[in-house]
Amino acid sequence: MTADAIMKRSRIVLIEKAKETGFCFGVKRALKILEEAVDKYGEVETLGPVVHNERVVDSLGRLGVKVVESSHQVAGRIAVIPSHGMPPQVSHELKARGLTIIDTTCPNVQRAQKAAKELSEAGFWVIVFGDPHHPEVKGILGWAAGKGVATLDSEAISKLSDLPHRLGLLSQTTRNPSQFARFTNDVINLLLPRIGELRVVNTICNVTEKRQTEAMELAEKADLMIVVGGRNSANTRCLAEVCSSTGTETHHVESAAEIQEEWFGNKTFVGVTTGTSIPDRLTQEVMLRLDQIRKRGLDAT
Ligand code: F3S
């Protein structure tokens, strides 16, 4: 073995998994509803992936769950609304076509949708702090009946020339609470002279908040963090951002196979956390891979 290869051997002493990993209650609930629907109806079609995890979507596909991109592509009789929800207009359109709707929207997302609807009906223009391209955010905005906007940039709001007098502020469920607080603060500082009223509703999911706090605590102790989850999963990307913000080297992986041995050359404490759409089996594979790397490091000493 070359000196270089020996240097790259891990020196891992400790691997710690966050207390909460794997599916959140919203994902478990969605999968249960979906499995019951498949038992009852055979084939069903989901409007986009029911959860943001390819492996889970593939195994559901083998049970008879087909993914379509939009309501217009539903060819069968049973349409499933995914856990991150949809604008109400989509359900109305599907109902008008006589389809049966199975709604797996997470109760925490429903809370955000209800807040958007109530604010809009009370005459507030709704600002959703979130990624405007994310389906959950588009859905929440739909519940505000088009009277609002989604953004992560408070400056963009301040540039609006015809700013409504009453603003309602809420968040994508998977956002970081400190970032939402900062955004709210910026909105107050930038816009208060131009508006009459601002109402803020905290719609961040409690599971997300708890997981991010735990991940940050773990990242502060660890030399390296592994964050497991889909690259298109908003909550996993937020977890990775939170871990990186502590200054600890952080790697976002979708599977154990992506973990590279050379990351661990001078690391002794590795922390692991996962997004909320990750099956326990995948977390176990990651822990096993890390343990193999740790053992190889010990054997080399
Ligand atoms: Fe729901 Fe929060 Fe999970 S919004 S789907 S419980 S991450």
Side-chain angles (χ1 to χ4, degrees):
M1 190 181 295
T2 64
D4 204 30
I6 291 168
M7 283 299 289
K8 281 180 182 165
R9 285 286 193 213
S10 92
R11 294 173 191 180
I12 303 173
V13 178
L14 189 62
I15 303 165
E16 186 173 322
K17 181 161 70 80
K19 280 188 214 86
E20 290 213 18
T21 55
F23 292 150
C24 60
F25 85 90
V27 168
K28 281 186 195 157
R29 178 180 171 276
L31 294 175
K32 187 167 180 285
I33 296 173
L34 197 55
E35 279 161 16
E36 285 167 3
V38 173
D39 274 351
K40 187 167 175 189
Y41 300 106
E43 209 166 87
V44 302
E45 288 162 88
T46 67
L47 303 174
V50 78
V51 296
H52 283 131
N53 182 282
E54 258 179 51
R55 261 214 222 180
V56 175
V57 171
D58 287 349
S59 63
L60 287 169
R62 288 190 286 278
L63 295 178
V65 179
K66 194 176 158 202
V67 181
V68 294
E69 275 172 27
S70 75
S71 56
H72 308 292
Q73 292 175 353
V74 177
R77 307 305 310 156
I78 316 292
V80 179
I81 298 189
S83 57
H84 49 251
M86 284 274 149
Q89 298 80 357
V90 173
S91 308
H92 298 156
E93 185 231 314
L94 292 166
K95 272 189 200 145
R97 282 164 54 192
L99 302 189
T100 299
I101 299 171
I102 309 286
D103 189 356
T104 74
T105 309
C106 171
N108 283 347
V109 176
Q110 284 174 11
R111 220 184 111 246
Q113 294 173 339
K114 187 166 172 269
K117 182 173 188 285
E118 287 174 356
L119 284 168
S120 164
E121 285 174 355
F124 289 84
W125 196 68
V126 177
I127 301 171
V128 183
F129 174 64
D131 172 1
H133 306 293
H134 192 281
E136 179 203 314
V137 175
K138 288 184 189 167
I140 294 171
L141 214 46
W143 284 83
K147 293 178 209 151
V149 70
T151 184
L152 292 166
D153 176 12
S154 49
E155 296 271 343
I157 308 280
S158 71
K159 284 183 190 137
L160 291 172
S161 53
D162 52 349
L163 193 68
H165 200 54
R166 300 169 83 205
L167 300 182
L169 191 51
L170 43 84
S171 173
Q172 183 176 359
T173 58
T174 48
R175 284 282 142 192
N176 176 263
S178 315
Q179 287 175 359
F180 182 47
R182 219 171 300 134
F183 181 85
T184 304
N185 222 6
D186 288 348
V187 169
I188 292 171
N189 288 333
L190 290 165
L191 303 179
L192 210 53
R194 293 169 59 196
I195 58 171
E197 190 175 355
L198 174 69
R199 198 173 287 180
V200 183
V201 186
N202 179 7
T203 49
I204 293 177
C205 154
N206 50 356
V207 177
T208 304
E209 197 170 344
K210 198 165 168 220
R211 238 175 241 215
Q212 288 180 7
T213 306
E214 267 190 11
M216 185 175 259
E217 285 167 4
L218 188 52
E220 276 165 355
K221 295 187 291 179
D223 300 317
L224 184 141
M225 282 298 293
I226 300 286
V227 180
V228 192
R231 294 204 209 289
N232 58 352
S233 154
N235 77 80
T236 314
R237 285 206 304 265
C238 260
L239 275 178
E241 273 172 35
V242 162
C243 293
S244 285
S245 74
T246 65
T248 298
E249 183 177 331
T250 301
H251 294 273
H252 178 172
V253 299
E254 289 197 333
S255 69
E258 288 180 22
I259 297 174
Q260 293 170 32
E261 201 151 349
E262 54 265 34
W263 294 344
F264 305 94
N266 56 354
K267 309 289 192 259
T268 56
F269 184 173
V270 178
V272 178
T273 187
T274 82
T276 55
S277 319
I278 292 301
D280 288 342
R281 202 180 55 250
L282 212 158
T283 311
Q284 283 155 13
E285 286 169 15
V286 165
M287 295 305 285
L288 191 67
R289 165 97 175 118
L290 290 172
D291 200 44
Q292 284 164 348
I293 293 173
R294 182 186 68 82
K295 283 185 181 143
R296 268 203 293 277
L298 287 178
D299 291 346
T301 55

